[in-house]
Amino acid sequence: MLLPKVFYQNGSINSTHSCSPTCSLSSEHIQNAVTQSLLVRLQSEQPNNEYNVVIMDSLMCQSILGLCYDMTTAEAIESSLDVVLDIKTASCLRQGLDTLIRSSSKTASKLSIYQALNRNEPTYESNEDEGEQEDICRGVFPLRNSVKTIFSEDIEIKTKELPSWKPNIVVNAYHFEDDDE
Amino acid sequence: MMMNDSWYQEVSASERLTQGDIILDCPIAVWMPKPVDLKNDYEETLKSSISVIRSDVVVITQACDLEQGKVSNVTLCPHLPLKEYENEWKKAMNDKTPPQNPSQKAWAKTCDNIKNGYLWNLSMLNEGSAGNLNLTHRVVDFSDVYTLPRIFLESLLQSRGYPRLRLLPPYREHLSQAFARFFMRVGLPTGITQKW
């Protein structure tokens, strides 16, 4: 079966099929396409396995991670599934996979998958998870960014034409002392 | 910690960022250093105060924070080739009143001071090469600190597609320590009186 090649880029989504021209799809289409691709591939290769499907929101990477926590790298997922991940999704996947591998390896439960995916969104659900939460936090407790955008505008820049940074050198007596030596 | 005689390694464009990564020609949006009056059109005034500059930067954020995904923004400090720094240093000397014409010995002494960490805001990176990449001596200036979203940086590097240099341990920690010293330093109004 020839799987579609999917590019997922933060809401700006394009999909190409080797036999068809590029077309635009909604995020729902993409998510369905990727999920279907994953299921077909996984079930054909390992039909006896049960897959722990955890979909917490529409983020494609979360559903992929729930399905494929056996795989060790985002690259492996990409090559295995014929899916091209954008850097944000790949980064999220890698972080989640890294945490899973470090923590409970192949016995990862739904809970640890959830925690792996939500390390930047700490919860206070139960006291029994405190030990694991503390281990994950390791002294740094990042809060979810909540910024209010005052304005936003797309601009075109050419890096080579930008003014370059210059140091602000303050000359004080220290320099003159050195000169006298 | 792995020790290494070489200061740098070459990493591919798709490699995740870590402390000591050297990013050349990085575009940075900054507020222009000019007075701002927000009484009129608030948004337009702010928009007109934004500038985008280009700088070579080095990643200062802790490697573990990047590895563990603890931060979504990356702390960067600018650096420039020693030769360019020398030109800027001479200009600053000439702009003094009265103008100074520093000797080569004075410049050599300044280089030694930077190298040895006696100038708090500066640090020097060694020249080096890895793979097909080369770097001349560089001066890092901790006086300017920028933070850029990690996603922005990693996608920028990936879309450019060419490899970059990365400072190796323990040199990257040495740089990080110099950065920390710059911020943690405490000046005393009166030094210790020497009577021995």
Side-chain angles (χ1 to χ4, degrees):
Chain A
M1 176 184 175
L2 188 60
L3 296 171
K5 196 170 268 281
V6 178
F7 299 85
Y8 181 89
Q9 291 185 313
N10 298 337
S12 169
I13 297 157
N14 293 305
S15 171
T16 60
H17 192 285
S18 54
C19 301
S20 66
T22 301
C23 59
S24 293
L25 294 173
S26 70
S27 60
E28 195 180 343
H29 283 129
I30 287 295
Q31 196 178 359
N32 289 339
V34 172
T35 306
Q36 284 303 315
S37 302
L38 285 164
L39 283 171
V40 167
R41 180 64 64 97
L42 289 169
Q43 285 170 355
S44 65
E45 290 182 356
Q46 296 169 306
N48 297 325
N49 282 12
E50 286 184 7
Y51 298 102
N52 190 10
V53 182
V54 182
I55 301 176
M56 282 160 286
D57 62 29
S58 63
L59 281 179
M60 184 186 68
C61 61
Q62 297 195 348
S63 61
I64 292 177
L65 185 56
L67 285 160
C68 311
Y69 66 83
D70 273 355
M71 298 186 186
T72 52
T73 65
E75 288 77 12
I77 292 174
E78 285 183 333
S79 60
S80 168
L81 301 167
D82 205 12
V83 173
V84 177
L85 302 171
D86 74 306
I87 190 154
K88 182 180 180 183
T89 311
S91 174
C92 181
L93 263 176
R94 273 195 289 266
Q95 287 168 22
L97 288 164
D98 287 349
T99 304
L100 280 177
I101 291 159
R102 270 196 305 276
S103 56
S104 50
S105 68
K106 311 237 171 173
T107 59
S109 64
K110 261 190 171 185
L111 179 62
S112 62
I113 290 173
Y114 185 87
Q115 286 170 337
L117 290 167
N118 291 276
R119 285 177 304 141
N120 291 337
E121 301 168 22
T123 58
Y124 305 92
E125 285 175 352
S126 67
N127 290 333
E128 64 190 35
D129 297 335
E130 276 181 3
E132 200 165 351
Q133 281 288 354
E134 192 178 344
D135 183 46
I136 291 169
C137 287
R138 292 165 62 103
V140 177
F141 190 77
L143 292 174
R144 179 191 282 188
N145 280 342
S146 60
V147 294
K148 184 183 172 188
T149 304
I150 299 174
F151 59 82
S152 172
E153 189 172 315
D154 289 337
I155 55 169
E156 273 188 33
I157 57 167
K158 291 180 180 173
T159 309
K160 290 291 178 190
E161 293 173 5
L162 293 173
S164 62
W165 172 85
K166 298 285 182 199
N168 179 28
I169 299 173
V170 179
V171 178
N172 53 30
Y174 185 83
H175 293 86
F176 300 121
E177 282 172 23
D178 293 336
D179 203 10
D180 293 341
E181 283 179 11
Chain B
M1 182 188 299
M2 182 184 71
M3 296 295 169
N4 203 318
D5 289 338
S6 171
W7 276 55
Y8 306 98
Q9 72 173 129
E10 183 188 272
V11 296
S12 70
S14 59
E15 190 92 10
R16 296 172 72 192
L17 275 180
T18 193
Q19 188 180 57
D21 277 10
I22 291 175
I23 304 168
L24 303 179
D25 289 332
C26 183
I28 301 169
V30 295
W31 294 109
M32 284 162 61
K34 66 176 188 181
V36 62
D37 184 0
L38 299 177
K39 287 175 190 163
N40 299 320
D41 190 330
Y42 183 76
E43 286 189 12
E44 283 308 312
T45 308
L46 287 179
K47 277 183 185 177
S48 65
S49 300
I50 292 174
S51 172
V52 183
I53 62 166
R54 164 175 56 93
S55 179
D56 299 338
V57 292
V58 57
V59 174
I60 297 292
T61 302
Q62 287 275 7
C64 56
D65 282 342
L66 290 166
E67 177 63 29
Q68 303 284 334
K70 300 288 188 185
V71 289
S72 53
N73 290 304
V74 179
T75 305
L76 307 159
C77 280
H79 55 89
L80 75 174
L82 185 61
K83 189 66 191 169
E84 283 181 33
Y85 187 85
E86 181 184 5
N87 293 338
E88 295 297 324
W89 179 79
K90 283 178 177 169
K91 271 189 219 167
M93 285 291 199
N94 290 330
D95 289 344
K96 286 289 288 182
T97 308
Q100 303 294 314
N101 187 19
S103 64
Q104 192 58 34
K105 186 182 165 192
W107 168 242
K109 181 70 178 173
T110 299
C111 288
D112 278 342
N113 286 336
I114 299 171
K115 183 194 78 172
N116 295 326
Y118 298 154
L119 295 174
W120 296 106
N121 66 313
L122 302 174
S123 186
M124 195 176 289
L125 301 179
N126 200 12
E127 63 181 348
S129 61
N132 294 320
L133 303 177
N134 298 299
L135 200 71
T136 59
H137 287 102
R138 294 235 151 196
V139 177
V140 184
D141 192 339
F142 304 130
S143 308
D144 288 340
V145 181
Y146 304 108
T147 51
L148 266 64
R150 179 182 191 168
I151 290 172
F152 171 86
L153 279 172
E154 289 186 336
S155 59
L156 174 80
L157 294 167
Q158 191 158 318
S159 60
R160 284 178 172 175
Y162 46 75
R164 63 183 182 275
L165 287 176
R166 169 175 291 172
L167 263 177
L168 286 167
Y171 307 104
R172 73 175 189 195
E173 285 80 7
H174 186 258
L175 176 72
S176 169
Q177 188 184 45
F179 178 77
R181 272 201 307 271
F182 173 60
F183 273 89
M184 65 189 274
R185 75 191 192 278
V186 178
L188 301 176
T190 307
I192 293 171
T193 310
Q194 297 181 43
K195 283 186 179 175
W196 48 78

